[in-house]
Amino acid sequence: MAKLHIHGVHAPGFTLFFISLQYPLLLLTLSSAYTTQTKHFINCGSSNSINYFTRDFVGDASSDSVSFTKQNTSTLSSNQSSSVSAIYDTARIFRSPSSRYALDTTGKGTHIVRLHFFPFASTSNLSEAVFNVSVNGLTLLSSFQVPSSTNSPVVEEFFLSINRAKFVLHFSPQGSSFAFINALEVFLVPDGFIPDSAPNVRTVYRINVGGDEVTLANDSLWRSWDLDDSYIDVPNAAQNSTNNESALNYQADLDKFLASDHVYQTAKVMSVNFTNGTLYRNTTWGFKVSTNARHLVRVHFCDFISPSLNTVRFNLYSYQNFTELIDPYGKNGFRERAVPFHYDFLVKPGSSGLVKISIGLLNASIYQQAYLNGLEIMEIIGSWDSDFMPSEEHNHNVSLIIGLVSGSVTLLCIFVSASIFICKYRKPKRTDMSVWTLFPALRGGSSHSELTEQTRHCSVAPNFNLELKIPLAEIHFATNNFYDKLLIGKGGFGNVYRGTLRDGIEVAVKRSKPGSGQGFSEFQTEITVLSKICHRHLVSLIGYCAERFEMILVYEFMEKGSLRDHLYNSDFPYLPWKQRLEICIGAARGLDYLHRGAAGGIIHRDIKSTNILLDENYVAKVADFGLSKLGPLDQSHTHVSTGIKGTFGYLDPEYFKTQKLTKRSDVYSFGVVLLEVLCARPAIDPSLPGDQANLAEWGITSIQNGAIEQIVDPLLVGQINPNSLRKYGEIAEKCLQEEDEGRPSMKDVLWDLEYALQLQQTDVKRDMHDDTDQRLVNIDSSNCEEAPII
C-alpha cells in the first residue's frame, strides 16, 4: 500500500540559530472525555463502503447523512492499483461553481477535516483540475491542483472550529476546469485539542523526531508522522533514542490523543557523550512554510532520557529566539518519568518563509542533555464569513456577529491609517525574522491604551522630525496593544516590546511609563541624536510616537539581543574569540563615528554591554542614546559640564570627580566592555572578594601583573593567539587610565582592535612577549572603516 503523506511544503534543514527572547509558553493540560469517532468517513463517487485503517468509508451515493449538488458525476479508475486503498479508485467530480457536499455534524467543537486526492487514470484527466475549496465561507484551498506526477495520495488536513448543525463543503472550479475529491473525513477531536486562539488551522508538517515513520494504524486519530532526518541541520549533534523501559504516564485524557504513543516513545537526544568530544550547543530543525502567514507550532516532549527525576533541563529555541526552559520536574511539577507534555506558540515568518526550532544544552555541567520527541506546524487560516451562518444559530452568535461588524469598522479605520502611513513614512530594509506570540493569543492589552493623565512635556513633540512620526494606532497594531508576552526588556525609560509593522518589518518598541511625564529629556535626546546620524554600527530609529500623552520610540529589531546576553548569566551559546573581536571592532566604529563624524561630535555617556546590540549576522550596533550629549566638541570645547549620569561600574572616574564629560569618558566605559568581553563577567559583582568585585580594577591589576591569561573566560582557553591577547590587554589598559588625557581616542582604539584581530588570524603564533609591531605590514587598511567627517 502506498505511503500516505500530508501534503505540505518541504525543505531541507537550515543553518543553526540560537539566541534568547524570554517568552513563557502555555502548557496545555486540559482534560477531556473522548471516544473514538465513527463518522463521517466518506468514499466519494461510489455506492460502496470500504474499510480503511479500521474506519468504514461509506459510499456517498448510498449514504443518508451526505447530500451533494446534482451537477456532478462520478468516475472510476481505469487502472486500479493494489498499491493504494480502494477509496482512491473512485472520485466525485464537480463542474458547477456552486457545487457542494453537506452533512450533519456530530457535535459542536473542533473537527478534523481531511480531503483525499489521487489523480488516477480515467476518462477525466484529474490532474488538470484546478479549483477552490471552502467551508461555510472559510477558504481551505485556493487554485488547488494535484500534479499528474504524484504517485501517492495527497491528503489536505485541517482542524476547524465548527459550531453549526450543518457542515457544508463548497467546490469552485477555476474557469472552465472542474473539481474532484476521492474521500472525505470529518469528525470531532477532544475539547482543547486546538487552542481557541487559533481555531482554524491547516496541517503543514507532522514530525516524529528520533523515531520511525508512524502510520495511520498507530495513531488514535489516524495521523501519519514523518521522519525528521530531512529537516535536521546537523545530524551528528543528536542521536535517536528509544524508550524500552518506562510506561507512558499521561496526566490527562486529552494528552492521550495529542500525539501517537510512538512519538513519545522515541526522541532525538543531545549529549556531550554522543559527539566524541565535539560540543554542539544545540540542534536545529528547519522548515519551509508559507511566507507572512501565521503558524501554530506544537512541540512534544516526554522524558525517558534522564536517569532520575530532575536531572535533565534544557532550552527550547524558536528561530533565533530563546523560547522556554524545558524543566519537566521543576517548572511543570511532574513527579514521575515518561510524562508526555507539549508547548504551543505562534510564529509569523517573514519573506523567507522559514521556521526553525532548536533544543539547546544549558551551561551547567549537570544538565548536559536535551531532547525532542515530536513537532507539528499548522498554518492558521482565515476567519469564518458571517454571511454563511445559518439562521438557526442566530441566538448563539449575536455577540459574534456584533463583534464582526465592529471589527469591520475597526479594520476600515486601520486600513485608512495604514494607507496614509505607507504613503508618508519611509521604510527600512525588510528582514526575514519571525514574530513569536505565545498563547493565549486572545490577549489583554495594556491598561494604558486610553490615558487620562496629562504629560506636560508632550507639547514639545511638534518640534521633532515629523517625517519619523508614527501614529499611535500603528504602534498598537505592531505590539498587539502592548501585549505582555511581547515584552522583551525593561529599563529606566520604560518597557521594550517586540512588534511587527503592517508591512512585516520587525521592530523594537520602547514605551515610557504611560502618563508619568518622566524621561522626556531622554525621549527628546534620542530622537534628536538618531535623526542626525546614520551608520552601520548604530541602531537605526524607525520612528517615534508622541500622541495621547505617550512617548514611544521605534527601532530596528536586533535579532540576537545584546552583547551581554552572550557573555554571562544567560543560556546563550558562547561567542568564539574572533567573533568577540569583530563585535568590539564594530562597536568601536560606531563610537568613532559618533565622536568625530556626527553633527559636531556626540558623547554617548552610557556605553555598556547591554547597549551594544547584535543583528542576525552578529553585526554590533551601539544603542540607547537617551543620555547622549551633542557637540560641538572642538579644540576650544573639549568637555561638557553636566550632572553625573551613566551606569555604575562603567563611569569614568574623572568625570565622576569633576563632572566634566569628554569623549574619552566613552573610551573608559568601552574599556570596561572590553574586559567584560574577555572575562565574561559583569562590571560589578558584589558576590566576589573585594579585590575582584570591580572588573575594571581587577582587570587592570591582572594585566599589569602579567596575569591576563588567568582572567580569560574559561570557554576561550586555547582559542586566543598570545599576541592578540597581549595587544587586547594593552588596549583595555589604555582605555581604563584614571585621567582622560592618558586614554586613546576611539580612532586609536579601533586601529589597535583591528591589529589584534590581524594577530589572531595570523598563522605564526609568536611568543607572548615578542614586541615586534608589524601593524603596517600585516593590517589591511581597507578593513578600517574611517568615520566620515560631516
Side-chain angles (χ1 to χ4, degrees):
M1 183 171 292
K3 178 178 174 182
L4 188 63
H5 290 284
I6 295 171
H7 182 62
V9 185
H10 296 266
F14 293 91
T15 306
L16 198 64
F17 286 112
F18 33 80
I19 194 172
S20 175
L21 182 61
Q22 297 177 359
Y23 287 168
L25 300 177
L26 177 66
L27 175 64
L28 299 180
T29 56
L30 302 176
S31 62
S32 174
Y34 177 78
T35 56
T36 302
Q37 301 292 290
T38 59
K39 62 177 186 180
H40 296 282
F41 303 100
I42 310 300
N43 183 21
C44 302
S46 175
S47 58
N48 299 324
S49 294
I50 296 174
N51 187 272
Y52 181 57
F53 284 102
T54 72
R55 296 161 293 171
D56 288 328
F57 280 72
V58 179
D60 61 1
S62 60
S63 174
D64 295 333
S65 62
V66 179
S67 63
F68 43 85
T69 52
K70 301 301 182 183
Q71 298 84 4
N72 70 83
T73 59
S74 61
T75 186
L76 178 67
S77 172
S78 61
N79 184 24
Q80 298 179 9
S81 172
S82 60
S83 63
V84 296
S85 169
I87 66 171
Y88 297 109
D89 289 339
T90 60
R92 181 70 60 187
I93 295 178
F94 299 96
R95 298 188 183 276
S96 169
S98 58
S99 302
R100 67 177 189 170
Y101 264 105
L103 50 85
D104 296 331
T105 55
T106 54
K108 296 179 180 180
T110 298
H111 290 67
I112 284 183
V113 176
R114 294 194 186 108
L115 311 178
H116 295 251
F117 304 98
F118 184 60
F120 55 71
S122 69
T123 55
S124 298
N125 190 347
L126 300 182
S127 63
E128 293 181 352
V130 182
F131 53 95
N132 301 334
V133 182
S134 61
V135 175
N136 296 62
L138 176 69
T139 298
L140 304 183
L141 300 173
S142 180
S143 299
F144 180 73
Q145 183 176 22
V146 183
S148 58
S149 59
T150 299
N151 296 319
S152 299
V154 171
V155 180
E156 292 285 352
E157 180 185 271
F158 304 87
F159 290 86
L160 305 179
S161 178
I162 301 174
N163 296 311
R164 301 160 179 79
K166 284 284 186 182
F167 174 82
V168 182
L169 190 66
H170 296 261
F171 290 84
S172 302
Q174 294 267 313
S176 60
S177 188
F178 60 94
F180 80 96
I181 185 170
N182 301 87
L184 170 65
E185 300 175 60
V186 181
F187 61 92
L188 271 171
V189 296
D191 291 341
F193 196 94
I194 297 293
D196 292 340
S197 307
N200 306 308
V201 298
R202 168 181 169 260
T203 302
V204 183
Y205 296 96
R206 182 175 288 126
I207 307 297
N208 182 25
V209 179
D212 296 330
E213 177 191 357
V214 179
T215 64
L216 280 64
N218 293 314
D219 186 282
S220 59
L221 298 179
W222 305 286
R223 296 163 295 184
S224 61
W225 298 73
D226 292 336
L227 304 177
D228 72 304
D229 295 343
S230 59
Y231 307 104
I232 192 169
D233 182 52
V234 183
N236 292 334
Q239 288 191 352
N240 293 348
S241 182
T242 302
N243 179 15
N244 297 317
E245 301 178 2
S246 302
L248 298 178
N249 295 303
Y250 288 105
Q251 302 296 293
D253 289 340
L254 173 64
D255 298 335
K256 300 175 183 177
F257 297 95
L258 291 177
S260 166
D261 289 351
H262 292 261
V263 172
Y264 292 125
Q265 295 284 17
T266 60
K268 271 280 195 307
V269 182
M270 294 185 63
S271 171
V272 291
N273 298 325
F274 291 163
T275 54
N276 299 320
T278 301
L279 178 59
Y280 294 98
R281 299 302 304 180
N282 69 11
T283 296
T284 298
W285 290 262
F287 302 90
K288 184 73 175 178
V289 299
S290 299
T291 59
N292 297 315
R294 293 188 305 155
H295 290 76
L296 168 65
V297 178
R298 173 169 290 174
V299 283
H300 297 270
F301 300 97
C302 182
D303 180 26
F304 59 82
I305 306 302
S306 58
S308 59
L309 302 186
N310 203 30
T311 56
V312 171
R313 295 166 59 210
F314 57 95
N315 289 331
L316 168 68
Y317 299 93
S318 53
Y319 236 73
Q320 302 173 35
N321 308 307
F322 170 67
T323 302
E324 182 73 338
L325 172 68
I326 305 302
D327 183 6
Y329 309 100
K331 194 165 188 178
N332 295 337
F334 298 153
R335 293 295 179 264
E336 52 190 348
R337 295 173 75 247
V339 175
F341 63 102
H342 76 284
Y343 289 97
D344 285 346
F345 47 87
L346 295 181
V347 56
K348 181 183 177 184
S351 58
S352 69
L354 300 182
V355 171
K356 298 181 181 180
I357 307 297
S358 305
I359 53 173
L361 301 175
L362 296 181
N363 290 331
S365 60
I366 62 172
Y367 300 121
Q368 286 300 300
Q369 284 186 307
Y371 60 88
L372 179 64
N373 300 77
L375 187 149
E376 297 175 83
I377 299 177
M378 293 165 268
E379 181 179 343
I380 297 175
I381 54 181
S383 59
W384 296 97
D385 187 339
S386 60
D387 292 339
F388 287 87
M389 291 182 182
S391 58
E392 63 186 8
E393 296 296 304
H394 175 75
N395 292 335
H396 301 285
N397 291 291
V398 171
S399 60
L400 177 58
I401 295 172
I402 293 173
L404 288 170
V405 173
S406 301
S408 299
V409 174
T410 302
L411 285 173
L412 179 60
C413 295
I414 292 175
F415 176 77
V416 173
S417 299
S419 300
I420 296 172
F421 178 72
I422 291 170
C423 293
K424 184 174 181 179
Y425 303 110
R426 56 189 176 90
K427 296 289 187 288
K429 182 180 179 181
R430 289 179 178 271
T431 58
D432 292 329
M433 308 170 194
S434 290
V435 169
W436 295 86
T437 307
L438 295 315
F439 290 117
L442 287 179
R443 40 183 81 60
S446 168
S447 60
H448 298 285
S449 59
E450 295 294 336
L451 296 173
T452 57
E453 305 98 322
Q454 182 175 1
T455 304
R456 59 188 174 88
H457 299 295
C458 282
S459 60
V460 183
N463 295 326
F464 295 157
N465 186 343
L466 295 180
E467 292 183 358
L468 297 176
K469 191 174 181 182
I470 299 177
L472 183 59
E474 298 300 318
I475 305 296
H476 281 292
F477 175 86
T479 61
N480 287 344
N481 293 323
F482 299 105
Y483 178 43
D484 289 343
K485 299 301 182 182
L486 294 178
L487 181 66
I488 57 175
K490 295 183 178 181
F493 182 81
N495 293 337
V496 182
Y497 298 84
R498 187 170 187 171
T500 310
L501 299 178
R502 293 182 189 278
D503 61 357
I505 293 174
E506 305 299 323
V507 293
V509 179
K510 181 162 39 170
R511 183 195 194 194
S512 71
K513 298 182 176 82
S516 66
Q518 300 296 316
F520 178 75
S521 175
E522 289 82 357
F523 179 65
Q524 186 177 31
T525 300
E526 191 97 2
I527 296 171
T528 303
V529 170
L530 287 176
S531 63
K532 292 176 178 291
I533 60 178
C534 182
H535 193 273
R536 181 171 185 252
H537 294 287
L538 302 177
V539 170
S540 298
L541 179 70
I542 292 176
Y544 70 91
C545 178
E547 187 178 328
R548 292 190 191 176
F549 317 116
E550 293 269 14
M551 293 184 293
I552 298 169
L553 297 164
V554 181
Y555 308 90
E556 62 176 313
F557 183 76
M558 301 298 289
E559 181 70 22
K560 292 198 178 334
S562 73
L563 172 59
R564 176 173 177 165
D565 291 337
H566 295 267
L567 296 178
Y568 53 88
N569 292 341
S570 76
D571 297 315
F572 286 73
Y574 82 99
L575 297 172
W577 178 243
K578 179 176 178 290
Q579 196 164 39
R580 297 191 197 194
L581 276 176
E582 290 170 342
I583 289 169
C584 291
I585 289 169
R589 286 174 177 164
L591 280 173
D592 182 38
Y593 171 77
L594 282 180
H595 289 178
R596 299 192 302 122
I602 296 173
I603 303 173
H604 186 282
R605 204 162 50 151
D606 198 19
I607 293 298
K608 53 187 177 181
S609 56
T610 52
N611 285 340
I612 297 173
L613 305 183
L614 307 176
D615 71 6
E616 68 273 16
N617 298 314
Y618 290 94
V619 173
K621 301 193 179 190
V622 178
D624 201 342
F625 299 87
L627 299 182
S628 298
K629 278 291 181 182
L630 281 71
L633 295 176
D634 51 29
Q635 295 298 322
S636 59
H637 298 85
T638 58
H639 70 271
V640 177
S641 296
T642 176
I644 303 298
K645 288 187 178 181
T647 301
F648 188 61
Y650 298 88
L651 279 175
D652 169 12
E654 187 166 3
Y655 166 45
F656 188 80
K657 289 185 294 185
T658 65
Q659 297 189 27
K660 292 182 178 180
L661 180 69
T662 72
K663 290 182 287 188
R664 301 198 182 189
S665 298
D666 282 348
V667 174
Y668 182 91
S669 302
F670 190 72
V672 179
V673 172
L674 292 178
L675 287 182
E676 278 187 274
V677 169
L678 179 67
C679 307
R681 55 148 289 185
I684 299 294
D685 189 346
S687 66
L688 294 174
D691 60 343
Q692 299 180 22
N694 185 297
L695 175 60
E697 295 177 359
W698 177 59
I700 288 180
T701 300
S702 300
I703 293 170
Q704 291 175 342
N705 291 339
I708 188 173
E709 302 97 329
Q710 299 176 16
I711 65 173
V712 172
D713 179 359
L715 293 175
L716 296 177
V717 172
Q719 282 192 31
I720 307 179
N721 181 304
N723 292 292
S724 176
L725 178 61
R726 174 178 60 81
K727 173 53 65 177
Y728 189 89
E730 290 176 1
I731 302 167
E733 183 182 7
K734 291 177 183 176
C735 290
L736 293 170
Q737 293 298 306
E738 285 284 330
E739 298 181 356
D740 71 346
E741 291 182 357
R743 300 173 203 148
S745 68
M746 281 310 305
K747 179 181 179 181
D748 292 333
V749 173
L750 173 59
W751 178 268
D752 285 340
L753 285 172
E754 288 277 7
Y755 180 45
L757 178 60
Q758 292 290 325
L759 290 174
Q760 178 63 24
Q761 294 173 329
T762 185
D763 293 331
V764 181
K765 295 187 177 181
R766 296 184 297 276
D767 184 77
M768 182 73 175
H769 301 290
D770 181 358
D771 291 328
T772 303
D773 190 337
Q774 298 183 358
R775 267 186 294 182
L776 298 180
V777 176
N778 294 329
I779 195 164
D780 180 358
S781 60
S782 65
N783 290 331
C784 293
E785 185 174 292
E786 192 75 20
I789 303 300
I790 299 179

